[in-house]
Amino acid sequence: MIKKALWGLSTPQIHYEMLPVHLPETEKLPIPQRLTLLHPKRDALSVPSTLGIGDTVKTGEKLSLYPDQNDYVVSPVTGTIASLSPYTGDFGKSYIAVTITPGANEIIDDTFNQQTHSPTLELISDYLSGAPGNPPLNLLADSNGGIKTIVIRGLDPDPTVATSQYLAQSRFYDLAKGIQIIKQVTDVRDIILITAGESMQGYGHIGAQVKNVKTAYPSALPHMLMKDVLGQVVPAGKTCEDLGVCFFTAEAVISIGSAFESGQIPTSKTLTFIKKDGTRKIIETCIGTPIGDVLEAFGETVNEFDRIILGGPMTGSAIYALEHPVQPDTDSIIVVDRDKAAYVSDYPCINCGECVRVCPAKMQVNMLVRYLEASQYEAAADSYDLYSCIECGLCAYVCVSKIPIFQYIKLAKYELERAKTLEAADA
Ligand code: SF4
Ligand code: SF4
């Protein structure tokens, strides 16, 4: 629930909306006529593809474009590869779009099932990195035991999105099984499940400490959880992982649990779908389903200048193509009517100070924005604490000049990271 305060009178009140005690039914979509999986593309274009158009694939089969199989996607259906084409995601991220046409008879790939008798971190990383919820298994594998605490989010970071909340309450058994497997394959013993409201009841035997947080946004963002739940402040420029803490969504843990319970790699994504009229549904669809198919299934039409946002109203990003597929981390699809969409402007900052007052990181956002607008990213980082930003989006939400501050911040961090990578490659 979002109640925007009148400018200057009080800070905005934004709360996570709790689901009712009797959870809504999940609405399941049929398998689409075509689905698209986004396979990470490497710069080494000379590496030959191990997949080709016309190849047949099985349900649950690991598909990799490169012989070492470190990067892969998992086919949610049995079918034929219809196309392989370059695809550009957010901030220029490069993929190969693997489009599959489902066939009539389903054949399940058994390779993972044959190995589930002895779970290891390597096995999980090899098969479940792209499972629903995107388990951050690379962080566990790369940290060499540096991760000491896993925080499972049973509350979504963005308000109005209810995917993690729903799954944490409705899939207790798979969640507990996932926690048990994680304990079995890692040295991590400190596992915390985050909930809010009344939802902690019933988690007695989950295998994790259950901690309740406030329902006021942004209490479920990682940096806030670090401070409020673990009592640690993440220094600017450091990550939660640097402090030995790694975050999983409830769905990521459930994916691990259900994979070992059923012997199959899960490929069905649960997400929150919010229509233009504000109706909220919890839906389930194959990873790879075009967003346009989801809209069509619920009779939602998109007109010029309407917006489709993935990832929540505060921190999500708009997409521009109905062919964009549901991905393992697509927790929400929000359709916003053009008349209700937040607009941005090129009005100058009037130095009202609203962004400074609302910023949970206590940054001088009004000064930072001047550097960001001038693309002076290094100065923004050196002089105005760019890296202290916890990416809550509140500054952009309250800005009376409608400056897209949050988007500027994300772009600045991306550009600085890219410059660092290029420098390292040239060294
Ligand atoms: S997004 Fe804006 S309000 Fe939120 S922490 Fe960053 S600068 Fe502060
Ligand atoms: S950036 Fe926006 S909210 Fe911040 S001081 Fe300027 S006008 Fe006010």
Side-chain angles (χ1 to χ4, degrees), residues 250-364:
E251 189 176 34
V253 180
I254 286 167
S255 289
I256 295 170
S258 84
F260 280 88
E261 196 56 32
S262 66
Q264 282 189 35
I265 303 174
T267 53
S268 190
K269 179 77 187 98
T270 301
L271 59 92
T272 308
F273 177 55
I274 301 177
K275 297 178 72 171
K276 274 192 253 184
D277 64 5
T279 316
R280 181 170 70 174
K281 293 173 183 295
I282 304 291
I283 68 167
E284 206 182 311
T285 189
C286 277
I287 291 173
T289 303
I291 302 288
D293 284 27
V294 176
L295 268 52
E296 198 184 324
F298 293 102
E300 190 75 331
T301 48
V302 182
N303 303 315
E304 203 177 359
F305 302 122
D306 288 348
R307 288 206 194 140
I308 303 172
I309 296 168
L310 303 188
M314 297 303 291
T315 64
S317 353
I319 55 156
Y320 300 95
L322 291 171
E323 295 74 39
H324 188 87
V326 169
Q327 294 193 68
D329 61 352
T330 306
D331 282 341
S332 70
I333 302 172
I334 304 176
V335 190
V336 186
D337 189 271
R338 56 178 287 180
D339 294 334
K340 293 184 188 156
Y343 65 92
V344 294
S345 81
D346 52 7
Y347 293 147
C349 168
I350 59 163
N351 225 8
C352 66
E354 279 295 294
C355 53
V356 179
R357 279 188 281 281
V358 82
C359 177
K362 305 200 184 323
M363 292 165 59
Q364 276 185 277

